[in-house]
């Protein structure tokens, strides 16, 4: 499969979010990444259901919703109803991860699991066959614009090795500090979904920045 680009609207212009969503509709972006923060699991607060619903009114691309919240099970159906196509929960926030994954799938969404930088990928080995996507955090979650953590490459390689044996179709998404400087290395390591915020919305021409990321060699993803 070709890799996917999921621009993060955490870096969009909140005063003119409609304009940025329409821009993404007309770009080569595959998904729109929505970071939801509750001020508890991470020290920041971002989007809630009203903003999600407003984004969905204009978005023509699937909404890739990353829940950085405690007890996400309480809100899975609400986020589905607000327009989520992919719902990713944090391993660190889920006591009964298997149940959470199956609930997401019952709602008709793709199910993802996010790992913080300190969390080993091996902890997913017993559930990886049930997951559609793993999101590797390459910064500590909570704020945009942070410095990329170099150990991310090792984690992606280890996860891809596990996936090749147990779930070859697994999507590996990377979020945090993704830019034109490291995108190709991330893809070579085994990632196939790139989340980028500042690298896209901070570019002089965001549509061109997305196109350049999308052009990276697709044959890297033959497993």
């Amino acid at each position: 499969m070709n890799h996917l680009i999921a621009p993060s609207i955490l870096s969009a212009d909140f005063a003119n979010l409609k304009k940025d969503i329409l821009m993404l509709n007309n770009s080569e972006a595959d998904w729109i990444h929505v970071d939801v923060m509750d001020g508890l699991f991470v020290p920041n607060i971002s989007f809630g259901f009203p903003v999600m619903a407003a984004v969905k009114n204009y978005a023509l691309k699937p909404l890739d919703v990353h829940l950085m919240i405690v007890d996400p099970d309480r809100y899975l159906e609400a986020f589905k109803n607000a327009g989520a196509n992919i719902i990713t929960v944090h391993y660190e926030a889920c006591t009964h991860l298997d149940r959470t994954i199956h609930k997401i799938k019952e709602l008709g969404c793709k199910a993802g699991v996010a790992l913080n930088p300190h969390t080993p990928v091996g902890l997913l080995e017993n559930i990886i066959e049930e997951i559609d996507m793993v999101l590797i955090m390459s910064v500590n979650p909570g704020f945009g614009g942070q410095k990329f953590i170099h150990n991310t490459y090792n984690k992606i390689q280890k996860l891809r090795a596990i996936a090749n044996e147990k779930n070859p179709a697994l999507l590996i998404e990377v979020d945090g500090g993704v830019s034109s400087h490291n995108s190709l290395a991330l893809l070579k390591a085994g990632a196939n979904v790139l989340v980028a915020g500042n690298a896209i919305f901070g570019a002089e021409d965001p549509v061109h920045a997305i196109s350049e990321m999308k052009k990276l060699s697709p044959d890297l993803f033959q497993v």
Side-chain angles (χ1 to χ4, degrees):
M1 62 166 290
N2 293 341
H3 62 284
L4 307 177
I5 307 298
S8 171
I9 59 172
L10 188 64
S11 298
D13 181 358
F14 287 8
N16 204 344
L17 197 51
K18 177 182 175 181
K19 175 181 70 69
D20 282 344
I21 297 300
L22 295 179
M23 177 273 292
L24 294 178
N25 287 343
N26 292 309
S27 76
E28 294 181 63
D30 299 282
W31 297 346
I32 296 173
H33 189 81
V34 183
D35 287 305
V36 177
M37 308 178 191
D38 63 358
L40 295 173
F41 184 73
V42 294
N44 198 7
I45 297 173
S46 62
F47 304 105
F49 303 119
V51 175
M52 274 277 302
V55 169
K56 185 61 177 178
N57 280 340
Y58 299 104
L60 300 179
K61 309 288 177 79
L63 298 187
D64 173 29
V65 179
H66 175 197
L67 299 183
M68 288 176 269
I69 65 176
V70 298
D71 197 9
D73 297 65
R74 293 181 299 165
Y75 301 108
L76 297 177
E77 187 169 359
F79 278 108
K80 162 63 178 178
N81 292 340
N85 301 97
I86 306 102
I87 298 178
T88 296
V89 296
H90 268 262
Y91 173 90
E92 303 85 2
C94 295
T95 304
H96 305 287
L97 184 59
D98 184 79
R99 183 170 66 194
T100 303
I101 292 302
H102 283 90
K103 176 62 176 178
I104 293 171
K105 291 188 171 186
E106 287 170 7
L107 291 169
C109 297
K110 287 186 179 297
V113 176
L115 299 178
N116 281 339
H118 71 279
T119 304
V121 297
L123 292 173
L124 296 179
E125 194 161 0
N126 291 333
I127 196 175
I128 199 165
E129 295 173 65
E130 307 298 323
I131 302 171
D132 297 303
M133 182 171 75
V134 175
L135 168 53
I136 301 292
M137 290 300 302
S138 45
V139 299
N140 289 295
F143 296 93
Q146 296 184 65
K147 185 177 179 181
F148 178 86
I149 296 174
H150 194 268
N151 189 52
T152 300
Y153 299 116
N154 294 328
K155 290 183 71 172
I156 294 170
Q157 290 169 348
K158 290 176 182 177
L159 180 59
R160 178 52 67 195
I162 296 170
N164 285 347
E165 180 182 346
K166 296 193 170 189
N167 184 359
L170 182 76
L171 295 170
I172 299 179
E173 185 173 52
V174 186
D175 184 3
V178 175
S179 71
S180 59
H181 302 293
N182 58 20
S183 292
L184 186 57
L186 291 168
L187 300 178
K188 287 181 176 179
N192 48 16
V193 185
L194 301 178
V195 176
N198 290 344
I200 290 173
F201 290 101
E204 185 174 339
D205 185 346
V207 171
H208 178 72
I210 294 168
S211 179
E212 289 299 298
M213 282 191 179
K214 192 66 180 173
K215 283 178 184 176
L216 298 172
S217 181
D219 59 18
L220 297 169
F221 308 104
Q222 296 175 359
V223 296

